[in-house]
Amino acid sequence: MFIARTVCREEETPIPQPGRNEVQIRVQSVGICGSDVHYFVHGKIGRFVVNAPMILGHESSGVVSALGDGVTSLKVGDRVAIEPGVPCRMCSFCKGGRYNLCPDIVFCATPPVDGSLRRFYCHAADFCYKLPDHVTLDEGALLEPLAVGVYACRRGGVQLGSNVLVLGSGPIGLLSLLSAKAMGAAQIIVTDLDQGRLDMALNLGAHHALRVDTRDPEEMARRVEEALGCKPDVSVECSGAAPSVQTGIYATKSGGALVLVGRGPYSMDLPIVNAAVREVDIRGVFRYANCYPLALEMIASGKVDAKPLITHHFPLEKTLDAFETSRTGAGGAIKVMIHCDQ
Ligand code: NAD
Ligand code: ZN
């Protein structure tokens, strides 16, 4: 178990018991996300501040160990992926299907809500997805960031034949790449500062990879067009860096879409008139809604192989080492997985 903000420790806590419509899960795999590392290092992300000890972890899978009253969809022993955000199910956003925008959503490891980096954890049964036997628990944990990639591509309107630009090739960019590929993108071009990440993107099926070695976004946009032979229909920004968002605007085809997945400075200088006069739609992305089923189907059908992203494994007792590896990117770390039941 892991407590954020300067003091980090393992702690014994009572085993939680499932409430109505909840299941208790013996947690197995937990991937470390950039946000976990951010809370770990800085104790806050924007308006979310860790004011009291908090358990981290929200990219999780496990085995159902007990059922609360009313649960009929799962049974003890089922292997499940856990969708970490449980919305109110009552508001207009929930009713409209955009439950990621629910103001009352309870999301694991977003303060003050505890996460799932622990041995036992309880969660709403309808936000747990039973894994087929051939899908591993590590893949189950990867469904969370994969759902972000699926949602980003949906928001951008990626479809059969699309030309797609993915800016930033961290785990989220790489999973956006895999999603775009599975959705039928014709050509995908990726960017990053780091050649190792670009190499990974090429291994995962990117058609072109551009290393960012200039801060001139118009020059980068020109290189994108030259490599693709056209401007991309959809750009998926996954770094949050201002020059990269600027490149995304200049690069995107007139009438296309730029989706903002990356989180950088709260406010940035952007060539907004360029977007306006060319009708480049700029769309936000906040987590995902209704994307776990498709993410699971992509993995289960073999259309997406996300396993190469997992570069490191640690047992729960070595959580500090796992966070340090994720934070520093040591050894080419991309996705670091913690195993809670070893
Ligand atoms: P990451 O830090 O591992 O990856 C970011 C990548 O961008 C790195 O490889 C970095 O080298 C690259 N980069 C930095 N500056 C760049 C530039 N100018 N041009 C091109 N590439 C550049 O992070 P991640 O886990 O892959 O997450 C990506 C972003 O998505 C983060 O900002 C994260 O906060 C955000 N995120 C958003 C959501 C959402 O719901 N919108 C969900 C998860 C993550
Ligand atoms: Zn709601």
Side-chain angles (χ1 to χ4, degrees):
M1 206 162 289
F2 200 70
I3 311 295
R5 200 177 199 185
T6 56
V7 181
C8 310
R9 61 176 185 267
E10 279 179 41
E11 200 176 276
E12 293 284 339
T13 56
I15 294 177
Q17 298 304 317
R20 186 167 175 78
N21 295 323
E22 284 187 346
V23 289
Q24 182 197 63
I25 296 160
R26 183 183 279 273
V27 181
Q28 302 289 318
S29 302
V30 181
I32 299 181
C33 165
S35 68
D36 293 315
V37 175
H38 205 89
Y39 284 127
F40 168 59
V41 174
H42 301 286
K44 63 173 186 168
I45 297 179
R47 66 192 165 95
F48 294 106
V49 181
V50 183
N51 286 318
M54 182 181 85
I55 299 169
L56 292 170
H58 64 270
E59 300 180 357
S60 312
S61 64
V63 180
V64 174
S65 48
L67 305 181
D69 286 348
V71 176
T72 55
S73 58
L74 293 168
K75 56 184 191 315
V76 171
D78 281 347
R79 299 154 67 258
V80 293
I82 304 168
E83 181 174 347
V86 179
C88 80
R89 304 176 176 85
M90 306 287 278
C91 71
S92 61
F93 298 104
C94 285
K95 287 182 172 169
R98 297 181 74 171
Y99 62 81
N100 56 321
L101 303 179
C102 171
D104 295 320
I105 193 164
V106 174
F107 200 93
C108 277
T110 298
V113 180
D114 278 332
S116 46
L117 185 48
R118 55 207 293 182
R119 295 204 197 278
F120 287 95
Y121 170 74
C122 291
H123 201 71
D126 60 326
F127 281 79
C128 294
Y129 299 83
K130 185 168 157 41
L131 301 174
D133 291 345
H134 67 285
V135 174
T136 67
L137 287 153
D138 283 358
E139 290 175 305
L142 278 178
L143 292 190
E144 205 280 340
L146 179 57
V148 177
V150 166
Y151 186 63
C153 289
R154 282 181 168 171
R155 290 278 292 152
V158 174
Q159 57 181 330
L160 195 61
S162 299
N163 288 305
V164 178
L165 164 64
V166 176
L167 301 127
S169 304
I172 295 294
L174 294 171
L175 290 163
S176 298
L177 153 71
L178 289 176
S179 302
K181 213 173 111 188
M183 291 176 182
Q187 288 193 88
I188 306 168
I189 183 165
V190 300
T191 71
D192 206 287
L193 306 171
D194 180 74
Q195 189 59 46
R197 296 211 153 171
L198 293 175
D199 292 342
M200 172 65 89
L202 290 168
N203 286 337
L204 291 173
H207 301 86
H208 314 272
L210 285 184
R211 201 165 72 77
V212 178
D213 58 7
T214 168
R215 287 187 71 84
D216 178 353
E218 290 179 276
E219 169 59 19
M220 281 308 299
R222 267 192 297 278
R223 292 186 202 171
V224 168
E225 183 169 359
E226 192 178 275
L228 275 181
C230 60
K231 283 177 173 289
D233 304 288
V234 183
S235 297
V236 184
E237 207 301 310
C238 300
S239 80
S244 185
V245 182
Q246 292 158 358
T247 298
I249 291 177
Y250 287 124
T252 307
K253 186 175 171 178
S254 298
L258 164 65
V259 291
L260 302 181
V261 186
R263 295 287 177 264
Y266 186 75
S267 167
M268 53 178 83
D269 190 23
L270 296 175
I272 209 73
V273 172
N274 182 288
V277 299
R278 296 192 305 107
E279 296 192 3
V280 171
D281 292 346
I282 300 176
R283 299 184 190 145
V285 166
F286 185 61
R287 299 172 180 151
Y288 41 78
N290 302 305
C291 290
Y292 260 64
L294 180 57
L296 176 54
E297 181 54 30
M298 283 174 166
I299 297 279
S301 65
K303 243 189 168 322
V304 164
D305 180 7
K307 289 192 295 293
L309 266 77
I310 305 175
T311 50
H312 291 74
H313 298 268
F314 291 89
L316 183 63
E317 294 73 15
K318 297 274 185 210
T319 290
L320 268 182
D321 295 342
F323 270 75
E324 200 51 20
T325 303
S326 182
R327 185 182 71 78
T328 58
I334 295 181
K335 183 55 72 183
V336 175
M337 202 58 79
I338 298 176
H339 300 276
C340 299
D341 197 25
Q342 283 186 346

